[in-house]
Amino acid sequence: MQKEVIAKPRYAIVAAVQLPSVNDLEFEASLTELRELAKTLGYEVVRTFVQKRAGFDMRAYLGTGKRQEIHDFVSNESGAVEIEALLVDHEISPSQARNLELEVGCEVMDRTMVILEIFHRNARSRAARAQVEIARLGYMAPRLREAAKLAGPQGRQRSGEGGRGAGESQTELDRRKIRDRIAELQLEIIAMDAERKTQRARRQERKGHAAVALVGYTNAGKSTLMRALTGSEVLVANKLFATLDTTVRALYPESVPRILVSDTVGFIKNLPHGLVASFKSTLDEALDASLLLHVIDASDPGFERQLEVTDEVLEEIGANVVPRIRIFNKIDHVGDNEAQAEREAALRAKYPDCVVMSARRPDDVAKLHQKIVEFFQQDLVETELFLPWSAQQLRGDIYANCQVLEERSDNDGAFFRVRSEPEVFDRIREQLDLK
């Protein structure tokens, strides 16, 4: 009988400097976010160290006293658990990370490194993996010199024998390999971009341009809403960055026109710019969409910060001109019915055209479904089509691409009063003329 293998717990601590320009609410929200990132990475955060300073310590980010306090905690002097990593809530320089690591006695990961590692572990598609690797290599390149210092003299120099140039350092060799690998990956991504654009064009030719993209902060409930709107078995997990690769499904129940819904990678405060650029292929779904569903966590006290982050990124990629519906999700997490009603009233007062809902309530999902369909049907036109009995094979095409309001028949054929896009009528009439 096989025994169940239980993964050994991994413990980490978090540290952050609060600058005078950052208020307590924003600072705590950022720390909470980092702890959630740690959870996604598989760590259990056992303690948080905070220091208020006018600026970061140029040598090791934190002040001397705080570094000693962390060292004492990591050293297990009080019999605490074994600490594997210190997670820092800012992007710090390679030398700061090296010095901090030497002083506290455990691995140091800054916020950018944590996010990169999560993306690296969770990326599934070939394009996403290539894009993440480029971002990781770009992050690693300036840190090679500090890594060599930690490795000692043996990690700094490589003889010319078998290498490129006498006495070329290992760091220089590694940097050259990184540059070559980035160039190779960029060529692969260019080829994949061309292939993806061709596939998207073919899909749009077959199914029209009715496309919806879910955007918003990570862990706002986009994947849960995606599942509710499409009936698909997409991944739903209560952790940050559960979705990295674009998922496209049809709106269900299907409508006329047929609407495709895509999920996108979640945004986050201080998302490394390298990752914004690297995940352009995922965010391109927002650019191609006719409608954005901006999903916001209504239960998060700092939701306005989420709004700002998403708006900034959408503007950065040029998607801020796409029509948008603001959806305040997770209203059922706010509290009892009275608290929910109060929050909903406040949201509707500030954002009059918003949708307040829970993706886990079928009635709420049905109302949103109808709102989406109405958006795409607002430009449909109504006309009458006559189908002679000799062309009844087009009947299925009419029902698949048009909203049939009325059907009647006589000795010559069937009459349909329908609503659809003008190009659909043109295509059906062209087929009739060929008969």
Side-chain angles (χ1 to χ4, degrees):
M1 182 176 178
Q2 292 184 338
K3 292 184 178 179
E4 183 180 354
V5 178
I6 300 175
K8 181 183 176 183
R10 303 175 66 206
Y11 300 102
I13 53 178
V14 165
V17 170
Q18 183 176 4
L19 301 175
S21 59
V22 180
N23 63 48
D24 291 345
L25 180 63
E26 184 178 357
F27 182 68
E28 184 52 42
S30 186
L31 280 174
T32 299
E33 192 170 81
L34 181 60
R35 285 189 285 263
E36 286 297 315
L37 288 167
K39 176 183 172 184
T40 302
L41 205 52
Y43 287 110
E44 179 181 335
V45 176
V46 295
R47 185 163 169 182
T48 300
F49 294 87
V50 173
Q51 186 174 38
K52 293 187 177 184
R53 289 176 57 96
F56 304 143
D57 182 90
M58 298 301 293
R59 182 178 180 278
Y61 176 64
L62 296 163
T64 305
K66 188 61 65 174
R67 298 199 300 266
Q68 184 61 48
E69 183 184 347
I70 294 173
H71 170 79
D72 293 342
F73 185 84
V74 171
S75 298
N76 284 329
E77 292 181 359
S78 59
V81 296
E82 180 182 352
I83 303 301
E84 294 188 25
L86 166 62
L87 312 182
V88 176
D89 196 28
H90 288 94
E91 181 171 347
I92 59 178
S93 70
S95 61
Q96 284 176 319
R98 181 180 69 91
N99 292 331
L100 188 56
E101 191 165 308
L102 288 171
E103 290 198 36
V104 302
C106 69
E107 180 186 6
V108 172
M109 300 174 68
D110 66 8
R111 185 185 182 90
T112 300
M113 185 176 180
V114 170
I115 295 173
L116 285 170
E117 186 61 26
I118 292 171
F119 275 44
H120 173 65
R121 292 185 186 184
N122 292 356
R124 294 292 177 265
S125 72
R126 191 161 59 101
R129 288 198 300 268
Q131 290 157 344
V132 171
E133 188 176 348
I134 286 178
R136 291 181 83 224
L137 291 172
Y139 175 84
M140 287 168 52
R143 288 162 171 77
L144 291 175
R145 185 181 300 276
E146 300 303 324
K149 289 178 182 177
L150 282 174
Q154 69 273 18
R156 298 177 191 170
Q157 194 73 22
R158 177 187 178 125
S159 69
E161 188 176 339
R164 183 179 173 183
E168 185 175 20
S169 74
Q170 184 63 47
T171 300
E172 290 167 349
L173 283 170
D174 289 341
R175 282 180 174 168
R176 179 157 47 82
K177 288 178 183 177
I178 285 177
R179 288 195 300 269
D180 292 345
R181 179 58 179 160
I182 288 176
E184 179 184 337
L185 288 167
Q186 287 173 335
L187 290 175
E188 289 181 14
I189 287 175
I190 290 172
M192 286 186 280
D193 282 346
E195 181 182 344
R196 189 177 64 255
K197 288 176 182 176
T198 301
Q199 291 173 345
R200 184 182 296 124
R202 289 174 181 169
R203 187 170 67 234
Q204 290 177 341
E205 286 175 6
R206 293 195 307 267
K207 300 176 181 177
H209 298 269
V212 175
L214 293 166
V215 298
Y217 215 71
T218 184
N219 212 31
K222 298 190 308 299
S223 295
T224 302
L225 186 57
M226 174 83 168
R227 172 182 279 190
L229 287 172
T230 64
S232 59
E233 293 299 315
V234 296
L235 174 64
V236 176
N238 183 28
K239 60 182 182 180
L240 304 188
F241 298 119
T243 301
L244 292 182
D245 298 301
T246 303
T247 304
V248 182
R249 299 287 187 273
L251 185 70
Y252 182 84
E254 290 195 8
S255 62
V256 175
R258 188 167 186 257
I259 300 169
L260 296 179
V261 184
S262 61
D263 197 2
T264 62
V265 63
F267 303 139
I268 190 170
K269 185 184 179 185
N270 298 329
L271 180 68
H273 286 288
L275 281 182
V276 173
S278 296
F279 270 79
K280 188 72 161 51
S281 64
T282 303
L283 300 178
D284 270 347
E285 296 295 334
L287 282 170
D288 291 340
S290 303
L291 176 67
L292 299 182
L293 302 183
H294 180 177
V295 186
I296 306 137
D297 184 353
S299 66
D300 189 332
F303 76 83
E304 290 183 345
R305 182 173 61 93
Q306 297 182 10
L307 269 170
E308 291 172 3
V309 171
T310 306
D311 287 345
E312 287 171 6
V313 178
L314 290 176
E315 185 173 359
E316 186 174 341
I317 66 171
N320 54 317
V321 296
V322 181
R324 192 183 320 180
I325 298 175
R326 281 199 170 98
I327 299 172
F328 287 93
N329 189 31
K330 298 188 178 182
I331 191 64
D332 52 331
H333 291 190
V334 169
D336 58 20
N337 291 336
E338 184 178 347
Q340 291 180 34
E342 184 178 336
R343 178 66 59 84
E344 181 172 352
L347 291 172
R348 292 190 184 281
K350 190 169 184 178
Y351 307 96
D353 297 325
C354 74
V355 173
V356 182
M357 64 173 294
S358 166
R360 300 187 184 278
R361 294 176 181 169
D363 289 348
D364 289 356
V365 175
K367 290 177 182 176
L368 177 60
H369 181 284
Q370 183 59 32
K371 192 176 182 72
I372 295 169
V373 172
E374 288 174 356
F375 174 85
F376 286 100
Q377 289 186 345
Q378 63 185 347
D379 294 326
L380 300 186
V381 295
E382 186 176 322
T383 191
E384 187 170 83
L385 294 173
F386 171 69
L387 212 60
W389 295 122
S390 60
Q392 289 301 302
Q393 65 270 26
L394 296 178
R395 182 188 186 88
D397 197 11
I398 290 175
Y399 272 92
N401 296 285
C402 304
Q403 182 182 8
V404 179
L405 305 174
E406 180 187 357
E407 179 184 354
R408 67 183 192 281
S409 59
D410 61 15
N411 293 333
D412 298 321
F415 295 85
F416 297 88
R417 187 163 62 88
V418 296
R419 294 181 71 233
S420 190
E421 297 160 317
E423 55 266 29
V424 173
F425 299 143
D426 294 340
R427 177 168 53 80
I428 294 175
R429 287 189 176 114
E430 184 180 342
Q431 290 177 290
L432 285 169
D433 290 341
L434 294 175
K435 297 296 177 184

